[in-house]
Amino acid sequence: MASRQLRFVLNGRPVQGEVDPTRSLLDVLRTDFALKGPKYGCGKGQCGACSVLVGGQVARACVLRAGRVAGQEVTTLEGLAPDGRLHPVQQAFIDRQGAQCGYCLNGMVISAVALLRQDPAPDRARVEAALRDNLCRCGTHREIVASVLLASGAQADD
Amino acid sequence: MTEGGMISVYEDRPEGRMTHVQIDGRGQVTAFNGHVDLGTGIQTALAQIVAEELGCTLEAVTVVLGDTGRTPNQGPTIASETIQVAAVPLRKAAAQLGQFLAGEGARRLNAPLAEVETREGRALWQQTEVAFGDLVAGHNLAMRLDPDMPVKDPAGYRIVGRPVGRVDLPAKVTGQFDYIQDIRVPGMVHGHVIRPPYAGRDSGPFIGTSLLGWDEAAIATRPGFLAVVREGDFLAVVAETAHQARTLAEALPVHWRQPPPGPDLSDLRHALKAAPSMPRVLERSGDVEAALAGADHRAARSYVWPYHLHGSIGPSCAVADWNGGAPVVWSGTQNPHMLQGDLAQLVGLEPDRIEVRRHQAAGCYGRNCADDVAGDALLLARALGRPVRVQLTRAQEHLWEPRGAAQLMEVSGGLKAGHLHAYTLDTWYPSNRGPNLALLLTGRISPEPRSADMGDRTAIPPYRIAHKRITVHDMAPLVRAAWMRGVSALPNTFAHESFVDEMAAEAGEDPVAFRLKHLDDPRTRDLVIKTAEEAGWQARSGPRLRREGRMAYGQGFAFATYVHGTFPGTAAASSAWVCDVAVDTRTGEITLTRVFVGQDQGLVINPDGVRQQIHGNVIQTASRTLLEEVTVDAITPAPQSWGSYPIQSFDTLPEIRSMLIARPGDPALGVGESAAVPAAAAIANAIFDATGVRLREAPFTPERMRAGLAELGGAPPLPAPDAGQKPRRRRWAAWAGGIAGALTLGAVALPMARALPPQAAPSAASFAAPLLERGRQVFATGDCAVCHTAQDGSPNAGGRPMKTPFGTVFTTNLTPDPETGLGNWSFAAFDRAMRRGISRDGHNLYPAFPYTAFAKMDGEDMYALYAYLQTLAPVRAAVPRARMVAPLNLRPVNAAWNLLYLDRAPLVDDPARSQAWNRGRYLVEGAGHCSACHSPRSALGAEKGGAAALSGAEVDGWWAPALAGTAPALRGWDEDRLFAYLGTGHAPGLASAAGPMAPVVAGLATLPEADRRAMAVYLASLAAPDVAPAAVPTLAEVTPGPGARLFRGACASCHEPGLAGALTAAQVPLARSAAIRAPTRATLRSLLREGITAPLELPLRDMPAFGEELSDHQIDQIADFLRARYAPDLKPFPDS
Ligand code: FES
Ligand code: FES
């Protein structure tokens, strides 16, 4: 499809560009805005690697066409630490070593941020449910859950 | 000479002089290792080793892994060898450098060498100290590695053995880290590969010889196109951007020879045994046959391990720069030096002309497509003379990755006097080392079956058995297959440790005690005893069959020493598992609730890293054991997405505890795979303890568990959740026969309509603006553009196929092109076509064109529409001929149809009704032609009237739900919801537009609000009065089966997300879905195949299409699951 002017707010900054609005938001973020946080994993909304926040809601950027975010606020992993100070969730993932290869990390952190906004003190079961649509092949699940619990202020028991 | 100074330690190796470690004048240390970090954290562990030996801080060390230009060739990063083998010279080099710096420090501090200490990057003596950087500054020195260099005594370790965080994590958690997928090179363009239809196969004469042709002209003028590159069966499109490359590649018409059918893998046991193999006896002792014959009890068992996907979360990617014949290739490969050799062969260069720069990729745990895609990129870079990036799609990765090999193990054994007396293992392992795909596709290497000798890992059981024979049957792959975490040791251990457990039960002994009776090695005994103790192992003399209601609980034990390398191999860490399971005896679902792992890995470098490896191994292998299997369907050769290949998710995680046995005095052993090896046997043994059922074929699905229970008579078998589907029967033929009988006789007597002369239409400029706006609204109400635009065609130029029961007709060109469109139509001709279905040349239009509705439009609207159409951009596009089932291709037959069904009476306002109602009726029944889709049609293709009008119908695979009667009332439609829906495509909580309805709404949304309100008023009046909305049905529990699993993998992330409030495609609860409640599966089939691409101007969401990745059978399985779960009040879909 032909390109159109697309304007939205990316990580707190208004941006615009000539973009084919039917391209996926993931492709636009990675190609046109040179971001590395959101990752291509499946392109079908099945793994969560591409997660971003759109207007505060978690969204899978691979199945969201760029035209759909016109006028919206989009936050990526990069946008969580705008001034170099880590978001508490990011810090917790370092403290609890919530990654092996880390390819799934983006989706885990973004989902955790959204979860903690909804429920600042989730229990373990809630965290596990909230992350269940995010895939990790390395089996880092336990460390990831511990990271989210740490970020929420709860003490993980492993 | 390096400015500021540099001291290094090198080794002369076959590939040249290689530096192991160096330190610069700022005290920064760089270490080089030929292995790579696969997600297991070896970068961190190597940094610890270097900092320890050298006496510097961890932060001062940078580790360069796997670049062929800078690191030694230390073979592939497989089999957990990095710490055990590849780190040895690095450790010595660091010690040598540390010793040198201590000597320099002694000189500088004027101190006796023996009293100088090196620590945190400084040499210290009494109160004085000097930084390493200052010792290096100004010196340039390269020292040859002393192979006899002594290394530190572990007792004095300060850094090794302490928990340390991964050094790469801060960059990863902020999105700053460069994975291979993030590499961008100036001037880079993008290739998209087109793979042959023989997905996942690597031997046979058709490999590399199946490409017949392609039509480059079809895409050559499209934006961004650069080239089509072909060599043998290697085919790719290169374009400026990745999106363009993919779009063009998907649009390129390509013709392949049909490959011969693949091997039948539906019965793996049989397939593995039937294929050619070469027996290789690994060990023989005593007289097995005689011992078996003389045993008190003997048994023969076979165990089957399925194909698995490595399933890296990030599909493989590579960038290559031809660089004037000295190529640089950026890759996520596991084996940079091996890849270098493959690439050299691919492009005919000497290996040292090619530099492979290794970057981290998603964790791969074996041979995925990383090497293949590097070959792809290099071929394209050479062809284009520019740097080319190739990113594989998820489907390409899934279809082509060399799978973790399937394996068959046959065991026979016997007990004598309570001891395991005789034991044979025969193991079939169909794998090679995954030759580079580009080499195969281009024909550089012959596609002959090749086998590798990797089936022998941990093939020798650890027990003292007097008579044994161990044989591995080396065989070529049946489908592309290579090593995966635990390689063949995991399946071999599944067999050993299941069988021993079975023998213990047979002997009436505790499984752990029985094992110990046959174990001599003190270190192994120590591991088994400590693990059982720490884990709270409960001794038993047979399966305990603990039950609570329908749940059964059990605990299992297994252990193994992972042996890697060429037989007899080298031992890595040993692991023992004690695990607990819960089995739902009704559904057959198995939950792994707790795993305790004891591990002996000698010296522990980084306890945090080791524990993380244990967790990863446990979770990943439990997933493989319980869930995973590559199925091969006749049509789709393998899963193409996570939808049909579910892996472990967070909501069924086991609790994991680990115990690292402290052996600081023993050499460090690899820990990357060991904890995976006992998994399958331990779980199977726990299931046996819970239920008495022995599962000998993985994965342990609910279906297999139910079958096992039924065999024991333990639990009532449940009905199969997804009954097999019969192929679709077509009803059209019967319909067409009906119409033929009814109409052919009459038809011949009817005159054709007369042709109206061509007459140039008035120019667009001659129409007044208000008239054109009115015309635009009529055009939008009728949504003419939807049907009159072909997929990928010019807007309104027609050519869209309309499937009818009588054949396929194509819509006409509405643009004012004089030859192929309406440019030569007078208004009279247009008006006649619209009202009577007669084309300008006198032939009858098929009733797929809803002229019966348009006949009700008023004259001004008709003229306004005519005027508006003349303002469209003219497009020359001839319309294809209709393909009808005889005798409908006699268009005169339609004339007879018109006599029967065309009601040309205009609508008369009903004075008893409001103005809005009358306006609404005019729009709905006239230009809006809602009934064309929403009314069922008679056998003759006419809309049914009376009570049947607008009572819902299936059109072209989509269910257009009822607009009149009780159905809409029961669903809760009222005027406001209808109004919302007509303007936005969405009635919150109730419905959102999909399929052909979405563009219809996009048109309606541009109408004046009053018109939409009027339509809502009229439509609301059609719903039966005094019918209260029905309650949303409560969801039903559905027996676990393929449909439920497919839904979980492919659909649940949007439709039943674990995290509420996500912005997903799902706007309406599935229990309200009209598609699920439709009379047949047709709409769900269409929806699942095509997805939803809603007009961007509506606040709707998009749903991905699954038609490419799921087979028709799988789509029907999902449809049936949806019906059973979300519409339990309705009968299952009828077999169509
Ligand atoms: S890449 Fe978007 S969900 Fe997998
Ligand atoms: S850490 Fe590798 S996929 Fe999660």
Side-chain angles (χ1 to χ4, degrees):
Chain A
M1 198 193 229
S3 296
R4 289 191 215 155
Q5 235 347 278
L6 177 71
R7 290 167 206 273
F8 61 105
V9 177
L10 179 57
N11 293 329
R13 222 162 26 91
V15 293
Q16 55 178 312
E18 280 290 315
V19 166
D20 168 356
T22 64
R23 281 168 59 203
S24 76
L25 176 63
L26 176 64
D27 180 29
V28 170
L29 292 175
R30 289 185 58 87
T31 306
D32 302 38
F33 294 99
L35 293 179
K36 298 186 284 194
K39 302 255 181 302
Y40 169 63
C42 68
K44 295 282 174 165
Q46 295 170 351
C47 75
C50 63
S51 299
V52 298
L53 298 169
V54 176
Q57 284 181 286
V58 198
R60 304 202 157 191
C62 68
V63 287
L64 198 60
R65 285 178 295 159
R68 292 248 175 258
V69 300
Q72 308 244 43
E73 279 201 34
V74 176
T75 307
T76 69
L77 192 62
E78 289 90 342
L80 296 178
D83 50 4
R85 283 207 19 233
L86 294 185
H87 187 282
V89 170
Q90 289 171 315
Q91 186 60 52
F93 270 79
I94 293 178
D95 294 343
R96 283 286 179 272
Q97 295 287 297
Q100 291 186 53
C101 78
Y103 202 86
C104 65
L105 187 59
N106 170 67
M108 303 298 175
V109 171
I110 293 282
S111 302
V113 167
L115 167 68
L116 296 181
R117 282 184 192 161
Q118 281 173 27
D119 179 354
D123 61 13
R124 173 180 292 274
R126 180 91 205 273
V127 172
E128 289 175 351
L131 294 176
R132 75 166 181 220
D133 304 310
N134 291 67
L135 301 182
C136 171
R137 189 50 165 169
C138 299
T140 320
H141 302 67
R142 296 238 65 108
E143 288 79 5
I144 291 169
V145 172
S147 304
V148 181
L149 287 172
L150 176 70
S152 78
Q155 273 314 307
D157 51 22
D158 63 7
Chain B
M1 297 294 280
T2 309
E3 218 180 78
M6 177 76 80
I7 299 180
S8 60
V9 180
Y10 68 85
E11 185 184 1
D12 284 322
R13 300 174 61 96
E15 68 271 21
R17 178 162 292 191
M18 287 290 158
T19 299
H20 285 291
V21 64
Q22 66 189 31
I23 182 166
D24 68 14
R26 290 171 301 120
Q28 293 299 309
V29 178
T30 310
F32 302 88
N33 191 275
H35 277 195
V36 302
D37 198 322
L38 303 174
T40 55
I42 63 159
Q43 189 177 13
T44 309
L46 291 175
Q48 278 179 280
I49 290 172
V50 169
E52 183 70 66
E53 296 293 343
L54 188 48
C56 65
T57 63
L58 198 55
E59 292 71 35
V61 183
T62 306
V63 181
V64 174
L65 294 171
D67 286 3
T68 55
R70 297 198 283 168
T71 66
N73 180 357
Q74 297 179 303
T77 308
I78 53 173
S80 317
E81 279 187 355
T82 309
I83 298 302
Q84 233 171 308
V85 182
V88 171
L90 177 60
R91 180 191 294 271
K92 288 181 181 160
Q96 188 175 345
L97 188 53
Q99 193 192 54
F100 176 82
L101 290 167
E104 286 298 295
R107 274 197 322 128
R108 189 76 66 92
L109 299 174
N110 231 337
L113 177 60
E115 288 176 29
V116 171
E117 215 192 325
T118 51
R119 179 153 41 86
E120 288 166 14
R122 286 167 298 177
L124 307 122
W125 181 63
Q126 295 179 349
Q127 303 313 320
T128 58
E129 62 173 65
V130 55
F132 283 177
D134 296 336
L135 295 174
V136 175
H139 294 283
N140 278 288
L141 179 67
M143 300 185 283
R144 185 194 302 269
L145 175 70
D146 172 4
D148 300 322
M149 185 70 211
V151 294
K152 254 188 172 176
D153 176 3
Y157 278 171
R158 280 189 292 254
I159 298 170
V160 166
R162 279 216 327 263
V164 167
R166 296 181 60 108
V167 293
D168 48 13
L169 198 43
K172 287 178 174 176
V173 82
T174 49
Q176 305 306 315
F177 189 81
D178 281 326
Y179 288 91
I180 182 64
Q181 287 88 350
D182 299 313
I183 299 303
R184 303 283 181 274
V185 173
M188 180 177 90
V189 294
H190 297 263
H192 192 91
V193 293
I194 301 169
R195 297 286 194 223
Y198 44 84
R201 293 165 68 183
D202 67 355
S203 62
F206 53 93
I207 306 275
T209 57
S210 293
L211 181 53
L212 296 173
W214 67 94
D215 180 11
E216 186 171 328
I219 59 168
T221 57
R222 309 243 314 242
F225 175 85
L226 293 173
V228 172
V229 178
R230 181 260 173 121
E231 251 197 274
D233 282 356
F234 173 83
L235 183 67
V237 174
V238 186
E240 296 287 351
T241 71
H243 176 73
Q244 288 167 336
R246 181 168 182 175
T247 311
L248 295 174
E250 286 171 354
L252 181 70
V254 185
H255 309 288
W256 298 97
R257 213 183 300 271
Q258 206 44 39
D264 179 4
L265 299 179
S266 56
D267 180 351
L268 270 180
R269 185 190 320 259
H270 180 256
L272 289 170
K273 239 181 140 169
S277 63
M278 274 291 285
R280 178 160 57 98
V281 176
L282 300 173
E283 189 169 311
R284 197 195 303 261
S285 61
D287 182 347
V288 166
E289 300 307 332
L292 279 171
D296 304 339
H297 169 81
R298 89 183 255 193
R301 301 282 181 255
S302 63
Y303 302 87
V304 180
W305 190 250
Y307 283 102
H308 283 147
L309 292 181
H310 295 84
S312 299
I313 294 299
S316 299
C317 180
V319 180
D321 182 354
W322 184 249
N323 191 30
V328 181
V329 179
W330 291 261
S331 167
T333 177
Q334 198 183 357
N335 308 320
H337 293 86
M338 188 173 102
L339 174 63
Q340 187 185 34
D342 285 347
L343 294 177
Q345 189 179 2
L346 185 65
V347 294
L349 290 176
E350 284 304 311
D352 60 7
R353 292 281 286 168
I354 302 178
E355 183 185 343
V356 176
R357 294 195 190 154
R358 207 272 169 178
H359 282 258
Q360 281 195 42
C364 73
Y365 306 103
R367 165 80 163 85
N368 64 4
C369 293
D371 287 25
D372 300 337
V373 77
D376 298 337
L378 184 57
L379 285 176
L380 296 179
R382 181 175 66 173
L384 274 279
R386 292 174 72 175
V388 179
R389 174 179 188 265
V390 181
Q391 164 75 69
L392 298 183
T393 64
R394 166 53 54 203
Q396 288 170 338
E397 182 82 30
H398 259 44
L399 284 170
W400 283 93
E401 69 150 89
R403 291 143 186 77
Q407 202 167 333
L408 167 67
M409 288 74 53
E410 289 187 346
V411 175
S412 56
L415 284 175
K416 186 140 194 180
H419 276 80
L420 198 46
H421 182 59
Y423 187 86
T424 69
L425 170 86
D426 284 85
T427 186
W428 285 260
Y429 180 73
S431 165
N432 52 18
R433 287 164 196 260
N436 192 294
L437 191 57
L439 289 174
L440 284 167
L441 295 182
T442 55
R444 293 280 194 288
I445 58 175
S446 78
E448 282 154 20
R450 297 176 176 74
S451 65
D453 57 359
M454 290 171 80
D456 51 22
R457 309 296 196 252
T458 314
I460 311 291
Y463 303 109
R464 177 182 7 88
I465 306 167
H467 307 276
K468 68 186 156 185
R469 187 185 60 233
I470 307 296
T471 312
V472 58
H473 300 256
D474 295 323
M475 58 193 292
L478 304 180
V479 294
R480 267 192 121 199
W483 60 88
M484 183 170 174
R485 206 183 216 179
V487 199
S488 57
L490 168 47
N492 283 336
T493 299
F494 174 35
H496 296 317
E497 287 292 285
S498 291
F499 192 83
V500 167
D501 214 70
E502 205 168 327
M503 289 298 107
E506 193 56 47
E509 288 186 38
D510 175 62
V512 170
F514 185 78
R515 283 174 170 85
L516 286 169
K517 226 162 83 171
H518 297 84
L519 283 175
D520 296 327
D521 175 49
R523 207 165 147 178
T524 312
R525 290 181 61 88
D526 192 40
L527 172 70
V528 170
I529 293 168
K530 282 198 174 123
T531 303
E533 248 171 42
E534 279 291 312
W537 173 256
Q538 293 150 349
R540 81 272 321 241
S541 56
R544 294 169 302 158
L545 312 176
R546 283 189 297 137
R547 284 292 280 268
E548 242 170 64
R550 65 195 238 192
M551 300 303 292
Y553 300 93
Q555 188 178 56
F557 181 91
F559 91 99
T561 299
Y562 178 50
V563 176
H564 56 88
T566 307
F567 190 81
T570 317
S574 302
S575 281
W577 274 49
V578 172
C579 70
D580 293 273
V581 298
V583 179
D584 184 329
T585 57
R586 199 146 70 90
T587 64
E589 282 166 298
I590 299 160
T591 313
L592 182 64
T593 52
R594 176 176 169 270
V595 179
F596 183 96
V597 176
Q599 189 163 285
D600 175 354
Q601 56 276 294
L603 166 73
V604 177
I605 312 270
N606 181 358
D608 273 6
V610 173
R611 279 186 208 281
Q612 200 173 44
Q613 284 309 298
I614 290 178
H615 292 178
N617 272 302
V618 166
I619 291 171
Q620 189 183 74
T621 316
S623 174
R624 293 172 66 186
T625 305
L626 292 170
L627 304 170
E628 298 179 26
E629 157 180 44
V630 174
T631 48
V632 180
D633 168 303
I635 306 149
T636 12
Q640 302 190 35
S641 76
W642 298 114
S644 40
Y645 193 85
I647 62 171
Q648 175 74 46
S649 83
F650 280 90
D651 49 356
T652 50
L653 284 182
E655 180 196 330
I656 306 171
R657 302 273 167 217
S658 51
M659 172 190 68
L660 310 184
I661 293 187
R663 291 192 186 277
D666 290 305
L669 298 170
V671 296
E673 307 174 69
S674 299
V677 178
I683 296 171
N685 294 341
I687 292 167
F688 174 70
D689 183 41
T691 63
V693 173
R694 279 274 167 208
L695 293 181
R696 299 191 186 92
E697 178 159 5
F700 306 154
T701 57
E703 291 91 322
R704 290 206 168 110
M705 190 68 235
R706 291 201 297 266
L709 288 165
E711 217 173 286
L712 275 192
L718 288 172
D722 305 281
Q725 306 300 323
K726 295 197 198 84
R728 272 169 97 179
R729 245 187 295 117
R730 311 220 155 196
R731 285 218 193 87
W732 303 355
W735 278 13
I739 190 164
L743 289 179
T744 35
L745 284 178
V748 279
L750 284 161
M752 297 264 289
R754 93 192 143 84
L756 295 178
Q759 180 189 319
S763 78
S766 67
F767 301 111
L771 181 74
L772 290 175
E773 169 57 18
R774 182 166 175 175
R776 186 198 65 75
Q777 290 179 16
V778 177
F779 184 80
T781 310
D783 242 304
C784 314
V786 176
C787 293
H788 287 271
T789 305
Q791 196 180 357
D792 299 325
S794 313
N796 305 308
R800 173 171 167 147
M802 308 289 283
K803 284 205 207 86
T804 75
F806 319 115
T808 302
V809 297
F810 294 88
T811 57
T812 53
N813 183 350
L814 296 185
T815 71
D817 177 61
E819 309 235 327
T820 61
L822 300 181
N824 263 332
W825 284 47
S826 63
F827 176 65
F830 178 74
D831 193 60
R832 181 176 78 169
M834 288 290 286
R835 293 179 190 282
R836 295 172 57 198
I838 299 168
S839 181
R840 188 187 58 73
D841 63 8
H843 77 250
N844 284 86
L845 297 163
Y846 295 100
F849 173 58
Y851 51 87
T852 52
F854 301 149
K856 303 197 169 86
M857 286 166 61
D858 76 22
E860 271 183 61
D861 275 353
M862 196 66 87
Y863 188 65
L865 177 61
Y866 173 74
Y868 176 72
L869 291 176
Q870 300 301 338
T871 67
L872 299 175
V875 176
R876 199 185 152 83
V879 173
R881 280 177 64 95
R883 291 192 296 264
M884 306 306 281
V885 182
L888 271 292
N889 49 11
L890 298 171
R891 284 205 190 222
V893 172
N894 287 20
W897 191 93
N898 281 354
L899 277 187
L900 288 171
Y901 298 111
L902 179 58
D903 172 8
R904 288 162 60 190
L907 284 178
V908 181
D909 274 2
D910 179 348
R913 299 286 197 154
S914 69
Q915 213 186 335
W917 185 92
N918 278 303
R919 171 75 181 154
R921 182 178 61 150
Y922 172 74
L923 292 168
V924 166
E925 299 202 345
H929 68 284
C930 304
S931 63
C933 292
H934 290 268
S935 290
R937 289 178 187 256
S938 69
L940 295 185
E943 291 167 20
K944 288 186 183 166
L950 298 173
S951 64
E954 201 173 283
V955 185
D956 211 2
W958 293 89
W959 172 242
L963 301 180
T966 50
L970 283 170
R971 280 178 52 82
W973 283 108
D974 57 22
E975 185 194 314
D976 285 340
R977 293 202 169 94
L978 284 160
F979 177 70
Y981 183 87
L982 294 175
T984 63
H986 180 51
L990 186 55
S992 59
M997 191 60 198
V1000 169
V1001 174
L1004 297 178
T1006 68
L1007 293 186
E1009 201 177 303
D1011 277 352
R1012 283 200 308 273
R1013 176 62 72 178
M1015 292 174 82
V1017 167
Y1018 174 68
L1019 288 169
S1021 78
L1022 300 176
D1026 306 324
V1027 175
V1032 181
T1034 38
L1035 309 189
E1037 203 193 316
V1038 178
T1039 309
R1045 284 195 289 273
L1046 288 164
F1047 177 83
R1048 184 73 190 80
C1051 322
S1053 63
C1054 290
H1055 288 284
E1056 280 193 10
L1059 178 58
L1063 180 75
T1064 74
Q1067 280 175 303
V1068 174
L1070 289 176
R1072 312 234 45 163
S1073 156
I1076 295 175
R1077 302 187 66 81
T1080 72
R1081 290 186 194 90
T1083 309
L1084 283 174
R1085 284 179 178 155
S1086 307
L1087 255 172
L1088 288 164
R1089 278 192 202 128
E1090 296 166 30
I1092 300 177
T1093 311
L1096 282 168
E1097 51 278 23
L1098 297 178
L1100 291 174
R1101 311 270 176 76
D1102 303 325
M1103 175 178 133
F1106 296 96
E1108 302 231 310
E1109 73 189 60
L1110 297 178
S1111 67
D1112 289 355
H1113 182 57
Q1114 288 173 320
I1115 283 179
D1116 282 356
Q1117 287 176 325
I1118 297 181
D1120 291 351
F1121 166 78
L1122 292 171
R1123 178 77 152 200
R1125 176 160 170 79
Y1126 297 98
D1129 54 322
L1130 300 179
K1131 286 209 279 290
F1133 285 121
D1135 275 336
S1136 49

